[in-house]
Amino acid sequence: MITLGHVSASYRDARVVNDVSFHVARGEMVALVGPNGAGKSSLLRVITGLLPAQGSVQVAGVEVSKLCPRARAKLLAVVPQEIACDIPYSAHDFVLLGRTASLPRFGGPSAADYAAVQDAMTLTETWPLRQRLLPEMSGGERQRLALAMALAARPEIILLDEPTSHLDLRHRAEMMRLLTRLNREQRTTVLMVVHDLTLASQFFPRLILLSLGQKIADGAPADVLTPALLETAYACPVSVFPLPEISALCILPRL
Amino acid sequence: MIPQKQLLFWLIPIPLLLAFCLLSGAAGFGLPDAATPTGRALLELRLSRIVTGFFVGAALSCSGCALQAVLRNALAEPYVLGVSSGGSLGAAVVIVLGLASLTPLALPLGAFVGAAATLLLVCALARRAGGYMPNTLILTGVVVGSMLSSLLMLLLSFAQSRAVHSITWWMLGSLQATSWSLVTLIAFLIVLALATLIVESRTLNALLLGTETAHNLGVRTRIALPLILGAATLAAAAAVAVSGIIGFVGLLIPHVLRRLTGANHRTLLPCAALFGGTFLVLCDTLARTLFAPHEIPVGVVTSLFGGPFFLYLLTRARHHAPLQGEATTL
């Protein structure tokens, strides 16, 4: 579904992605992990075509630069790290923006558009908030709305940039459960930037570890989250403890 | 926030207010006698001012709405990219060179060319400095505007006192167009610019969330951004060409209407055109009748009457935090 071949990208003179290659198959759920500045968010920008890159970036078998923006947005939705909170959009209007690529230039949204919005808001438990304005909402509510906006597009691929950062424990678990359900039931491909390594090991069967713009590991959590690889990536000693009761790994820095 | 269905009722007073403005004059309230040459001339003058005022108000309001969305800055207004300074310099050059007496179109043409050239310069410089990023555009606009203002002051320091007087009066702003052909031409440009903005209203809705999110939602940002900036500034440049610099409308009306109608540009832009146009015509009527026969600059009225109303809305919103309404339709 997403294929990167020897991809490199820069902001002006600073190289942020350096010769990265991987393939994410349809229906896979993959986490991008790595320290700050590793190039995770930049890699998402490369996949959406926002950041021009050298090498090959294919989405659904087509070079992303050759996809028309509307077709790309129907195929691939993005949940950003943060959303602007000072705009007096109602929650419903905000989620309807997720249908931008499907709406006609003239004329209003169709019944199918409203149905997609209602489904997305019901899934993310934001339907009761539909008439509230964005500036009145908490960070967690806005983050769930951002996910609803992405789901409203009914995409085949969802890219998420650290979407759990503003969520409390319950909503974090619910968002991950929802993503897992979408992935299993609708075969939605999920590629998510995750800082919480325990969360990544708990919910993602495959992790890609980045450091200084390069891929240094790709595989199952137990193969990627090893002390040796993590110490190389994060430049700090770490301890890894298995948590068999939740099928996850606990990673703590060694002081 | 007013529910969308109720917005239609708010449109009813607009024709009545415009009719009231047509009937109001320095000599009193009533329609001038169209049977006499003086009456006909008076009627034509009032009509010309109302039509010009309506189009200029609509242009400045919609331009402000679009620029506040694209630049994501509450202080953005039609002149933020240096259009007013460029227009003023263009008009000043025409006056100083004595071209204004050759044809009535020379002054508006000079102002329009100055404003449009400034926009092109600002966009070219901002693009070189890192693309159409909001902060880059605003900073470039402010710097270019300041430089053009300095050039204008330099020109004024060498100009004869009569030219200085003409330039000062032009800069104070007036809705008295020189001919119907000019009004028609300006109206055509403004309608073209506003139609472009209204067609792009969904793009503006997405751009409010930032260029990156708009890109992710399927907006062709590399085309949409210059198109919207161009249309918003064309509207402002056309307004400057016919009326000089009229402040506050392009800043005030978008903020007031966003509080009343919400941020959805499909509703906001048509409302801004109608209410912005009517607001400026009302202000102009006050400007020409309040101290009749002495006329005060319309910009003074827009600030003195619009400002307190805006402050009232601002403080009311603080005391009654939830400005809720029915979910509107994008």
Side-chain angles (χ1 to χ4, degrees), chain A residues 135-147:
Chain A
E136 298 165 8
M137 293 190 180
S138 69
E141 287 170 335
R142 279 200 290 270
Q143 203 61 58
R144 283 189 287 144
L145 280 177
L147 178 61

Side-chain angles (χ1 to χ4, degrees), chain A residues 12, chain B residues 117-132 136-137 139-141 143-145 147:
Chain A
R12 292 185 184 250
Chain B
T118 307
L119 171 74
L120 291 177
L121 179 67
V122 168
C123 283
L125 289 171
R127 203 172 172 189
R128 273 181 72 93
Y132 298 116
T136 313
L137 274 165
L139 281 172
T140 313
V143 172
V144 169
M147 285 162 59

Side-chain angles (χ1 to χ4, degrees), chain B residues 72-110:
Chain B
R72 280 183 296 136
N73 190 309
L75 290 175
E77 42 95 36
Y79 308 138
V80 75
L81 298 181
V83 168
S84 54
S85 308
S88 302
L89 186 63
V93 168
V94 168
I95 292 169
V96 169
L97 294 179
L99 301 172
S101 54
L102 296 179
T103 160
L105 282 177
L107 195 55
L109 191 68

